[in-house]
Amino acid sequence: MTEDTLMWRIAGGSGDGIDSTSQNFAKALMRAGLDIFTHRHYPSRIRGGHTYVEVRAAGKPVRSRGDGFNFLLCLGDSFARNPQDGAYYGNEELKPLTENFDDLNEGGIIVYDTGQLDEEEVAQTELEERAEENNWHVYPMDLREIAREHGRDVMRNTAGVGATAALIGMDPTHFEELIREAMSGEVMEANIEILDAAYERAQELSDDDHDLRVPTGSHDEEQAMLTGSNAIAYGALDAGCRFISGYPMTPWTDVFTIMTKNLPEFGGISEQVEDEIAAAALALGASHAGVKAMSGSSGGGFALMSEPLGLAEMTETPVVLVEAMRAGPSTGMPTKTEQSDLEHILYTSQGDSNRIVFAPANIREAYKQTRLAFELAYDYQLPAIVAYDQKIQGEVRNVPTSLFDREPEPSTGKTLTEEEIREAAHHKSGKFQRFAHDPEDGVNPRTVPGQKDGRFLATGNESEPTGHISEDPDNRVAQVDRRLGKLDRIRESLDEREESNQTAHGPADAEYGILTWGSQQDTVFEAVDRLNELGHSVKALGVSDLMPYPETEVTAFLESVEECLVVEMNASGQFRGLTQKELGRFGPKLSNLLKYDGEPFEPGEIVDGFESTLDGDQPAGQNVKYVPAAGD
């Protein structure tokens, strides 16, 4: 146990208010001056099923979830299916207690609600034995009774927070402030009374022989608490997006919902349609009409977008799509995280792919790279995809509000005015030459419907400069080369920018490297810090540009290390495969550390994986797999 970090887990059933309670707990910690990070685990059920949220807090920057946790507030599952012995799913009521034993650190604290969990049934679990082995401090409390005394059963979450505050020495006034902000009248008064009563009851129960205390800290500037979904939505709004269409699917739904809520304030429109094909097609139509537009989905829903995506590439219609990865294939595990859609995102649709793909690693990158996706999509007239996963979608972190102090960007790229159209090249028939062969940077200016003298054809077939269908071989080669050549121009533009989308971490002269992409980046960085403290010589590179691939930056990184471990959350090493496709000569340097059980890496799993692979062994961590370099 340590005083410099708190790793608090609240567990119950879906519908028990676990998520909202954890958000308020995290917000109170942030207001107390701490950096926070949350990890959410929940089943694909509306009611019932073991769900938990982990809140990690410290007085210094927190990049990742921790290794295990050190405080369990167990409410039990009040919506459990048949809890009788022999039931197919077992006693679900107890699972928020028993399924968290393995991750609770030595010296940890458990508070469980005896108003929900029968103490005779609890006595039949391993709790007493495990508590003795691991020096756990167990506090049974009837949180439901405290809630009933002053309000209603549903307020037992507030009682649990009050008990937590007492046991870790936290001032409960931070929670009282949140209650006063969110509630009023009798409900507010009842919750405050419950908070205070539970705080006093826990103080009476505490034996004070544990060493877990709330950390202390302060912030230099105002903080906001956001998820990755917030960051993507705010990035889109600031990039000038004024149209979104979609169909709900976990975990993409959050971005869609946030955009739908906020777009009317900006004069924008949101449309929920009948399926994902219609969603992508509608966004494409809005963009064709001159509006910055986006759509998105997850897994199987994004698969339905393949045809509109190919149409966007052929007609050179800019659009931004977001793809929120989850464990697949097919329905897979809808609420569990994975990075297994990479190849699908890169190559889905017909023919040679002509798109931008970014995979942001955290809230800051999600905001910035969403804005960049719109900028490049509309400057170069092609689709851009922002790839993320359930981990980024659901994790809550604090960031300075100054992150959003940036000017909005309403530009739609090379869209001509009617005056400019009159001066542009036209066919003798009068049609605008929208798809001319030889523009300077491969990007032809475009018109929007209704502009005088701006008529052209937009078809999914290959076409000559005015859009008429053409199967002429010379025209085909010229058009394909021009479209694909945009990726070279984009790569040149990205390489020339002062700020790279790739993030390096660790000593520049390190002997070993760890390469990762997307949401695992910050966890890898924490592991790199630990490895260097243990005496290893390690650095890392987090990659966000997946298409066009950042060949120069990754080459320089791989040339500087003797061996490189690629860390990713899928079973087939898709990012390692992409790297070997782009930079084949480094294949013998690249080994894989993989995890695909639905849970993101913990820093300790990467530390163990790295140390094990130095000897070519399999990591000791549960459900983590090592794959050696090609030829080993």
Side-chain angles (χ1 to χ4, degrees), residues 32 62 68 72 92 96 106 139 183 234 241 250 252 285 298 301 357 387 399 432 506 538 567 574 590 607 619:
V62 179
L72 174 63
E92 288 196 331
E106 185 175 348
Y139 302 97
M183 305 172 189
Y234 300 160
C241 177
T250 302
W252 127 266
S298 304
V357 180
V399 294
F432 173 64
V538 191
V567 176
Q574 294 182 25
L590 302 175
V607 171

Side-chain angles (χ1 to χ4, degrees), residues 375-411:
E375 176 189 334
L376 296 176
Y378 280 81
D379 281 352
Y380 290 89
Q381 299 173 6
L382 76 175
I385 300 172
V386 178
Y388 64 114
D389 54 54
Q390 190 270 344
K391 177 181 181 295
I392 289 182
Q393 173 266 331
E395 67 190 22
V396 176
R397 303 173 75 165
N398 62 292
V399 294
T401 56
S402 59
L403 173 66
F404 306 103
D405 292 342
R406 298 161 190 263
E407 291 298 317
E409 181 47 70
S411 170

Side-chain angles (χ1 to χ4, degrees), residues 26 99 153 183 315 504 533 578:
E99 290 195 354
D153 285 8
M183 305 172 189
T315 59
E533 288 171 5
L578 173 64

